Amino acid sequence: MMGQIVVGIDGSRDSEAALFWAAKEARLRGDRLVILYAVHTPVTAVPFGGASVLPPTAELKTYGENLLEVATSLVTTEDAPLEVATELVVQPPVPALLAASRTADLVVVGSRGLGAVGAAFLGSVSTRVASRAACPTIVIRPDAAEYRTTGPIVVGIDGPQSDAAFRFAVEEAQRRGTTVDAVHTYWLPVVAMPIEGTNITGTSETYARRTAEEHMDEFMARNQHVVPAQVKVTTQVLLNDSADALSQLSETAALVVVGSRGRGAFRGMLLGSVSQRLLHRANGPVAVVHNGDAADEPTDAERAQP
């Protein structure tokens, strides 16, 4: 049965990079590519009342139809056949993409859209979709959007919440005929008052590394059954910040995969700090994968917001 990859576009350079990446992934998988454009208008205040969303104008709908037509032509070639469908959705982008994620195998978005303010902030659409989509989300930065079939699939490991991310990494490695590099990082505990004449730093580092290695061994023992014989998995335990380590490895990776939240995050609300920082810094595409299988319902505010 043919799968489905959904890519959200808005006419920005970021979404163009996401479009081309999604098309290549769809060809590799033999999936249908669905190009989605959400038509929406800003919230307007009603005198002496609440807020409401005006219906899109005919010009906005025409713009969306033209954008989808151009996008289709960009990824459709006789030399590389691809089944393409388009969707013009009268809805803000976040709820539109969350709804599409329920039946998709993958959602692909650019890191920033037309509404982003400069390069300092990650687009709110990409972060909100990545944190709550029902399927894995790929976030593409236009300056690091190369589609690679070589290089390992790097996956960040942070306990049981990384199980789904690891399975996804293994599947992607099998498709590309490459390896998986599972990475777990640790940090040294802060020692407020070292005791004179003792090697507290050395002792704490030895303990921290041993603990981290035990966590990695436990993780691999629990997940070894999902690794087919043709996929080689290597492991790394690094003394480093997780986002920094994964960002460095992304320079030569085919893809970096992380879970949606790490330790300490509130479930269902935000991307974990590692995932969010990595989306800013990565030198290649990043996949955000949830352990759950259902998207959160959009809030009333999100239904109204762009």
Side-chain angles (χ1 to χ4, degrees):
M1 181 177 178
M2 179 177 286
Q4 184 165 288
I5 294 177
V6 174
V7 57
I9 65 168
D10 64 1
S12 66
R13 178 168 169 255
D14 287 61
S15 72
E16 181 184 29
L19 172 68
F20 285 122
W21 196 97
K24 291 178 181 178
E25 180 73 7
R27 287 191 176 95
L28 180 68
R29 293 175 175 228
D31 286 353
R32 175 189 298 108
L33 178 67
V34 178
I35 308 173
L36 184 149
Y37 177 69
V39 180
H40 63 280
T41 54
V43 176
T44 183
V46 177
F48 308 108
S52 66
V53 179
L54 295 175
T57 63
E59 289 80 5
L60 275 177
K61 287 188 176 181
T62 299
Y63 170 79
E65 291 166 354
N66 291 339
L67 183 61
L68 290 171
E69 184 178 345
V70 170
T72 301
S73 68
L74 288 174
V75 297
T76 304
T77 65
E78 294 181 2
D79 296 336
L82 176 66
E83 182 173 335
V84 178
T86 61
E87 289 190 15
L88 183 67
V89 183
V90 182
Q91 198 177 22
V94 171
L97 288 166
L98 289 179
S101 76
R102 294 182 180 277
T103 55
D105 296 281
L106 201 64
V107 169
V108 184
V109 291
S111 58
R112 295 182 303 274
L114 290 174
V117 182
F121 301 98
L122 195 69
S124 63
V125 170
S126 58
T127 53
R128 284 186 283 167
V129 171
S131 65
R132 296 166 57 191
C135 66
T137 302
I138 307 289
V139 179
I140 307 293
R141 292 176 53 215
D143 56 348
E146 178 187 1
Y147 187 90
R148 302 168 185 162
T149 54
T150 60
I153 306 296
V154 174
V155 56
I157 301 302
D158 188 19
Q161 56 267 41
S162 301
D163 288 356
F166 180 75
R167 289 194 300 270
F168 180 83
V170 169
E171 292 167 0
E172 284 296 306
Q174 189 172 13
R175 288 189 186 97
R176 288 167 167 77
T178 188
T179 60
V180 173
D181 185 4
V183 179
H184 180 59
T185 65
Y186 68 99
W187 205 244
L188 297 182
V190 176
V191 179
M193 296 181 64
I195 301 173
E196 186 178 354
T198 61
N199 185 12
I200 290 180
T201 301
T203 302
S204 62
E205 180 174 357
T206 300
Y207 175 78
R209 181 167 186 85
R210 183 169 65 246
T211 302
E213 289 173 343
E214 289 173 355
H215 288 161
M216 177 63 91
D217 290 343
E218 292 169 1
F219 180 89
M220 291 305 303
R222 188 176 64 253
N223 287 280
Q224 190 61 46
H225 67 283
V226 306
V227 182
Q230 63 269 36
V231 175
K232 179 182 178 181
V233 178
T234 60
T235 62
Q236 292 191 68
V237 176
L238 303 174
L239 173 59
N240 201 347
D241 173 80
S242 298
D244 286 345
L246 294 172
S247 179
Q248 292 165 16
L249 292 169
S250 71
E251 294 182 4
T252 55
L255 183 67
V256 175
V257 185
V258 290
S260 60
R261 290 170 294 274
R263 292 182 290 264
F266 292 97
R267 187 179 185 276
M269 292 180 66
L270 298 171
L271 281 175
S273 62
V274 171
S275 303
Q276 187 138 195
R277 285 183 291 132
L278 179 62
L279 294 180
H280 284 277
R281 305 177 189 178
N283 296 295
V286 176
V288 180
V289 183
H290 298 260
N291 269 346
D293 58 359
D296 295 339
E297 289 292 336
T299 64
D300 291 339
E302 284 177 326
R303 289 188 178 94
Q305 290 176 0

